[in-house]
């Protein structure tokens, strides 16, 4: 018999349980929705590793990104600024909340945006070679306007629709270090006295 052992990837079991709790889902309930046995899920959580297939099924059932469910962004909670309990709680309720990482984001990552754009051009009778002959600024302008037009149509029927360009952004792209995390919370941190910013006064206008 061929070796059917599947590769597994590490997960943070404690974080996995936290997400389940936030979604109001028990292991047994998750198993029913995900289509796997509760034993398989518990073994994965307890051993700190799961197959991509099992993780994806659980993530879909919980409507969260698989990487988020695996605890991939837990490093943000180990930053120096997170030693402040209030800051940590705010971060968990905002950027690290389940609703900030819907499963749809993982599906968007599988889309080749450039190929999708070229297919849109071709569908309307425009060859890629024609588009490439344009100046770069003109290419960007067309891409922006096309995305804007499609978004406006979709918003009439689906108010929550976002621009397609959003799919090109990922959590990891946005947050690489503590400076990125602080920047994301900057307004809140300043409003709650967690950081202070020295603002320079505008120079006095010279008298005529």
């Amino acid at each position: 018999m061929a070796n059917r052992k599947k590769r597994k990837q590490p997960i943070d079991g404690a974080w996995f349980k936290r997400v389940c709790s936030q979604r109001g889902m028990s292991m047994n309930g998750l198993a029913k929705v995900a289509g796997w046995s509760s034993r398989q899920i518990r073994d994965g959580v307890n051993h700190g590793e799961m197959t991509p297939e099992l993780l994806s099924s659980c993530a879909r059932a919980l409507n969260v990104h698989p990487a988020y469910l695996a605890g991939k962004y837990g490093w943000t909670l180990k930053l120096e600024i997170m030693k402040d309990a209030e800051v940590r709680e705010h971060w968990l309720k905002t950027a690290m909340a389940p609703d900030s990482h819907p499963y749809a984001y993982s599906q968007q990552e599988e889309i080749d945006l450039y190929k999708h754009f070229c297919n849109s051009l071709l569908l309307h009778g425009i060859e890629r070679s024609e588009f490439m002959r344009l100046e770069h600024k003109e290419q960007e302008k067309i891409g922006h306007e096309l995305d804007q037009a499609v978004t406006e149509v979709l918003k009439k029927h689906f108010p929550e629709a976002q621009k397609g360009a959003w799919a090109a952004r990922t959590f990891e792209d946005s947050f690489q270090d503590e400076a990125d995390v602080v920047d994301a919370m900057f307004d809140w941190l300043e409003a709650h006295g967690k950081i202070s910013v020295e603002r320079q006064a505008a120079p006095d206008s010279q008298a005529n």
Side-chain angles (χ1 to χ4, degrees), residues 82 84-97 184-189 192:
M82 296 301 166
D84 184 313
E86 191 175 9
V87 172
R88 181 186 178 90
E89 186 63 22
H90 173 73
W91 184 246
L92 286 169
K93 288 182 177 180
T94 54
M96 289 295 281
M185 295 189 290
F186 187 85
D187 291 341
W188 183 89
L189 291 170
H192 287 74

Side-chain angles (χ1 to χ4, degrees), residues 38-89:
S38 57
R39 179 177 180 179
Q40 288 173 305
I41 296 176
R42 284 196 175 88
D43 283 347
V45 172
N46 293 333
H47 295 155
E49 59 178 13
M50 282 185 176
T51 62
E53 295 79 10
L54 174 55
L55 178 62
S56 181
S57 294
C58 290
R60 185 186 299 108
L62 294 166
N63 189 24
V64 293
H65 194 295
Y68 169 80
L69 181 59
K72 188 174 182 178
Y73 312 124
W75 62 269
T76 62
L77 298 174
K78 299 176 183 178
L79 297 174
E80 184 69 23
I81 195 171
M82 296 301 166
K83 290 182 179 180
D84 184 313
E86 191 175 9
V87 172
R88 181 186 178 90
E89 186 63 22

Side-chain angles (χ1 to χ4, degrees), residues 9-166:
Q9 61 187 81
I11 69 165
D12 184 331
W15 181 260
F16 190 104
K17 291 179 180 179
R18 175 189 173 86
V19 176
C20 287
S21 177
Q22 288 179 301
R23 288 303 200 204
M25 189 88 72
S26 66
M27 290 295 167
N28 289 333
L30 177 58
K32 292 178 181 179
V33 179
W36 293 68
S37 72
S38 57
R39 179 177 180 179
Q40 288 173 305
I41 296 176
R42 284 196 175 88
D43 283 347
V45 172
N46 293 333
H47 295 155
E49 59 178 13
M50 282 185 176
T51 62
E53 295 79 10
L54 174 55
L55 178 62
S56 181
S57 294
C58 290
R60 185 186 299 108
L62 294 166
N63 189 24
V64 293
H65 194 295
Y68 169 80
L69 181 59
K72 188 174 182 178
Y73 312 124
W75 62 269
T76 62
L77 298 174
K78 299 176 183 178
L79 297 174
E80 184 69 23
I81 195 171
M82 296 301 166
K83 290 182 179 180
D84 184 313
E86 191 175 9
V87 172
R88 181 186 178 90
E89 186 63 22
H90 173 73
W91 184 246
L92 286 169
K93 288 182 177 180
T94 54
M96 289 295 281
D99 287 344
S100 295
H101 302 268
Y103 185 78
Y105 284 2
S106 66
Q107 296 174 301
Q108 290 176 340
E109 290 170 358
E110 298 174 1
I111 299 174
D112 185 326
L113 294 178
Y114 182 69
K115 183 177 180 180
H116 173 70
F117 177 72
C118 290
N119 285 339
S120 295
L121 293 176
L122 185 59
L123 185 63
H124 293 279
I126 303 171
E127 295 288 344
R128 176 179 175 277
S129 57
E130 293 182 64
F131 176 74
M132 295 305 295
R133 282 197 291 268
L134 300 175
E135 293 290 335
H136 181 66
K137 287 186 177 180
E138 186 67 15
Q139 293 178 11
E140 288 188 330
K141 182 180 179 182
I142 291 174
H144 173 74
E145 291 180 350
L146 182 60
D147 187 14
Q148 182 67 32
V150 172
T151 303
E152 289 178 1
V153 172
L154 290 175
K155 277 187 172 294
K156 292 178 181 178
H157 306 278
F158 309 98
E160 71 280 6
Q162 298 182 22
K163 292 183 179 180
W166 171 259

